[in-house]
């Protein structure tokens, strides 16, 4: 936090700002992205600071199904299952058709990095028997534009690291340079070059990051 | 060998450069004697091999010891490829945590030698991230160094701009516990220091004062800065008399891991202590000081009668580099002398949970 108390500064966001932005992001997603289940806010009970709640956003069990005809269609969304009864039902959304003959499940977590002061995307893939998918297999499920981006860019790359809270290996999209392109986004989107309002921070962030993993957000969310 | 020294004494002697080198030297020379047993499922020889005895540098990492350990067991191993991991009483050990930190955290009552089990098969890849020997450890080290740089300087440029050979030499100096080489190379890392009148002679024109995430006040002294800290919190639900009564850890879920910078605040005439630093990370475990907020300059009362210990959580133990820390020590001294080579200060904390 700087002396002016701004929650969004220089492309970065404070912990308090992240909590606000996360809620706003989840709300907008729920309203405008009806073909997907909603994001859940998972509070970190052990870490509650006085009067502040910390947590992360979770979107789980997104399915990428095998294709019967062979061609991948990125926009095909098939709404199934009723996610309002969460307990026992398998909530899933068909995203993209992959080339193999099995269903791949994906979990996504948006976690705040106190060191870099930006959000980070953690994700993992697993098959229906729960077995984790390797990065090579996961890359085959990503949009082809992402794969070339990942190969060429020194800013955007995926590593296997321990989830900051769950004591398990997950994959992480590296945050290097996040604050730079967030700044670019805010400069280009507003006429007076002001900071992105905190409620739109995660929406803007995800509009870029989500694409790397094949999750697109509707334009309505950016308003 | 394991060292124990009076941190208070070192601080009381007015910090001169010579004294600082001594504390850092102790840190680099600190080591844990390990007694490493081959897991019984992997013993393919009769009689089974005796345990390996290895002295592990505190600032080092377990995978770096494999070349010392493997000769003891290679004749006993079943055929196949190695995928090496360690456990302590069944708990798989996170290989990227410095050995000294693992010891301070997992052994409430220090166990000497520390009995660990080594496995060459059956890597628990559902719980541990993969380790391909020295390369993985080095990658983790450089990554942590970059993160620390970002916290201290506001960017990673200092690390990114290091030449490949300097990076190699730096890593090698850490692997070999070679403090002299590390000291010679560290100006090349261009990492800022936190300085106040409690760490060493504050120098207004010091080229090492921090840039980036630092505010400098009128006198040119560092006012605020972010300090890289990794806090490992182990909590127990019941109070205990002796450390040997602390129950064993079954899973890593019992540890709260906070990888979060401490905001170092320097106020005129006031010392920012270790207590202040921990309080900023774990406010619910530090005594309520609201009563004292208006009492500038008065002695802090340590009378517990006005605080209900039953309902409030309690800090039982704070360990850094194997030392049980007194919380009144200036935080700047702690950071400058007890941090690890990647510029992170690792703090192991044992707390009694508050009763909610």
């Amino acid at each position: 936090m700087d002396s002016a108390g701004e929650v969004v500064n220089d492309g970065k966001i404070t912990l308090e700002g992240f909590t606000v932005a996360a809620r706003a992001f989840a709300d907008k997603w729920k309203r405008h992205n009806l073909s997907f289940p909603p994001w859940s806010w998972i509070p970190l009970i052990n870490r509650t600071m006085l009067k502040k709640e910390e947590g992360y956003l979770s979107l789980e069990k997104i399915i990428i199904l095998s294709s019967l005809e062979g061609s991948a269609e990125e926009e095909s969304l098939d709404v199934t299952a009723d996610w309002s009864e969460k307990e026992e039902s398998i909530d899933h959304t068909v995203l993209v058709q992959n080339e193999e003959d099995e269903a791949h499940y994906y979990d996504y977590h948006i976690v705040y990095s106190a060191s870099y002061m930006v959000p980070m995307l953690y994700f993992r893939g697993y098959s229906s028997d729960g077995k984790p998918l390797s990065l090579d297999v996961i890359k085959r499920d990503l949009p082809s534009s992402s794969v070339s981006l990942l190969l060429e860019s020194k800013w955007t790359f995926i590593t296997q690291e321990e989830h900051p809270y769950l004591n398990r290996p997950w994959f992480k999209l590296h945050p290097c340079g996040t604050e730079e392109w967030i700044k670019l986004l805010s400069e280009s989107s507003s006429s007076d070059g002001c900071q992105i309002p905190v409620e739109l921070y995660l929406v803007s962030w995800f509009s870029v990051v989500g694409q790397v993993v094949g999750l697109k957000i509707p334009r309505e969310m950016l308003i | 060998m394991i060292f124990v020294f009076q941190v208070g004494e070192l601080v009381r002697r007015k910090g001169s450069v010579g004294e600082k080198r001594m504390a850092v030297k102790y840190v680099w020379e600190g080591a844990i004697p390990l007694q490493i047993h081959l897991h019984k499922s992997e013993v393919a020889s009769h009689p089974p091999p005796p345990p390996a005895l290895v002295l592990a540098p505190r600032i080092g990492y377990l995978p770096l010891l494999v070349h010392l350990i493997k000769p003891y067991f290679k004749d006993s191993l079943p055929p196949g490829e190695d995928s090496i991991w360690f456990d302590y009483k069944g708990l798989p050990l996170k290989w990227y945590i410095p050995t000294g930190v693992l010891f301070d955290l997992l052994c409430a009552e220090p166990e000497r030698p520390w009995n660990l089990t080594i496995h060459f098969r059956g890597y628990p890849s559902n719980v541990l991230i993969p380790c391909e020997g020295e390369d993985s450890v080095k990658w983790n080290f450089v990554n942590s160094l970059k993160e620390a740089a970002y916290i201290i300087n506001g960017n990673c440029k200092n690390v990114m701009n290091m030449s490949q050979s300097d990076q190699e030499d730096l890593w090698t100096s850490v692997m070999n516990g070679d403090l002299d080489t590390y000291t010679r190379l560290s100006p090349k890392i261009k990492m800022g220091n936190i300085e106040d009148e409690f760490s060493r002679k504050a120098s207004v024109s010091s080229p090492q004062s921090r840039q980036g995430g630092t505010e400098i006040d009128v006198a040119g002294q560092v006012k605020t800065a972010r300090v890289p800290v990794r806090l490992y919190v182990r909590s127990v639900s019941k109070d205990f008399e002796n450390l040997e009564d602390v129950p064993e850890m079954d899973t890593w879920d019992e540890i709260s891991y906070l990888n979060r910078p401490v905001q170092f605040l320097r106020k005129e005439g006031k010392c920012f202590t270790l207590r202040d630093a921990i309080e900023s990370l774990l406010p619910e475990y530090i005594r309520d000081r609201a009563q004292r907020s208006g009492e500038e300059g008065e002695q802090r009362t340590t009378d517990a009668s006005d605080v209900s210990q039953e309902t409030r959580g309690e800090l039982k133990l704070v360990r850094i580099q194997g030392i049980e820390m007194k919380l009144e020590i200036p935080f700047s001294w702690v950071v400058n002398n007890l941090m690890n080579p990647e510029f992170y200060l690792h703090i192991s904390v044992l707390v009694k949970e508050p009763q909610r």
Side-chain angles (χ1 to χ4, degrees), chain A residues 36-73:
Chain A
F36 277 85
W39 288 81
S40 310
W41 173 256
I42 313 288
L44 297 170
I45 305 169
N46 285 344
R47 288 171 186 71
T48 39
M49 314 258 286
L50 286 173
K51 294 178 194 139
K52 292 170 197 161
E53 197 189 87
E54 291 177 44
Y56 59 92
L57 285 171
S58 163
L59 183 69
E60 296 193 347
K61 298 198 182 71
I62 303 298
I63 290 191
I64 295 179
L65 276 187
S66 64
S67 153
L68 298 172
E69 273 100 58
S71 65
E73 276 213 28

Side-chain angles (χ1 to χ4, degrees), chain A residues 106-129:
Chain A
Y106 282 86
D107 296 340
Y108 305 92
H109 288 180
I110 301 177
V111 180
Y112 180 69
S113 164
S115 306
Y116 292 100
M117 296 184 74
V118 292
M120 290 200 295
L121 184 70
Y122 284 83
F123 62 95
R124 63 171 183 168
Y126 44 100
S127 40
S128 39
D129 59 2

Side-chain angles (χ1 to χ4, degrees), chain B residues 24-85:
Chain B
V24 174
K25 197 161 171 287
Y26 273 127
V27 166
W28 275 62
E29 287 173 1
I32 319 278
L34 304 181
Q35 183 163 248
I36 314 244
H37 309 258
L38 180 62
H39 192 258
K40 53 181 193 282
S41 69
E42 297 177 22
V43 176
S45 68
H46 192 75
L53 295 171
V54 174
L55 202 56
R58 276 189 156 272
I59 58 166
Y61 302 84
L62 289 174
L64 300 179
L65 303 172
V66 168
H67 71 284
L68 295 173
I69 300 167
K70 193 167 174 189
Y72 283 78
F73 301 128
K74 64 174 166 48
D75 295 331
S76 308
L77 290 176
E81 259 192 46
D82 294 341
S83 53
I84 298 168
W85 57 286

